[in-house]
Amino acid sequence: MRGGDGSEVAAVGKARSAADVPRRSRTTRGQAAAANAPKTQPVVTKTKLKVAAAASRGSVDFSKLKSDALRKYMRVYEVRGTSLYSSKDILCKAVEQHFAAMVVKEEEVLMDFSIRLRADAG
């Protein structure tokens, strides 16, 4: 290599052979991070279950049901305070209030569900 004044300048670095070049792994950074991440289960608390249950309760649109279905709900769950022969709007409001007030025991429901699944599978 030539310097600015025309004199020979020694090469600073030495030539690298293929063996000197570090090889990159074929895994991506995301894969490497996932492989090194601790193996933990997500934490599900009762508070998270209650929030999820409350969110799912609010997403039911009872107005899409027919009046007969609303009446059957009221009979099965013994909803009182509204006549079964009221208008559909009044039935919807009564069913929505009853549905929102229901207390759900998540552990019991999940246990019953898993028992029924096993019974159906076996």
Side-chain angles (χ1 to χ4, degrees):
M1 198 180 333
R2 293 198 179 266
D5 61 353
S7 62
E8 289 288 327
V9 177
V12 176
K14 66 176 189 174
R16 294 179 129 186
S17 67
D20 293 335
V21 178
R23 297 182 117 189
R24 295 191 80 186
S25 69
R26 294 186 186 264
T27 61
T28 63
R29 288 182 187 174
Q31 289 171 335
N36 294 333
K39 308 288 190 244
T40 59
Q41 295 291 329
V43 177
V44 179
T45 62
K46 287 185 179 184
T47 305
K48 288 181 182 178
L49 289 173
K50 287 179 184 177
V51 169
S56 68
R57 283 188 201 131
S59 65
V60 179
D61 187 7
F62 289 104
S63 65
K64 292 186 178 184
L65 295 175
K66 294 181 180 180
S67 297
D68 291 338
L70 295 169
R71 286 185 189 100
K72 184 171 184 177
Y73 179 98
M74 292 183 66
R75 273 195 309 272
V76 169
Y77 290 101
E78 300 175 357
V79 179
R80 302 289 180 227
T82 303
S83 170
L84 291 177
Y85 302 104
S86 300
S87 69
K88 183 176 177 180
D89 293 336
I90 294 173
L91 293 174
C92 280
K93 288 179 185 176
V95 168
E96 285 173 355
Q97 288 174 350
H98 179 265
F99 188 76
M102 288 180 64
V103 177
V104 179
K105 297 178 183 175
E106 291 89 3
E107 294 89 11
E108 185 177 320
V109 170
L110 291 173
M111 195 60 120
D112 289 345
F113 180 70
S114 65
I115 290 170
R116 288 181 190 231
L117 279 178
R118 289 181 190 145
D120 289 345

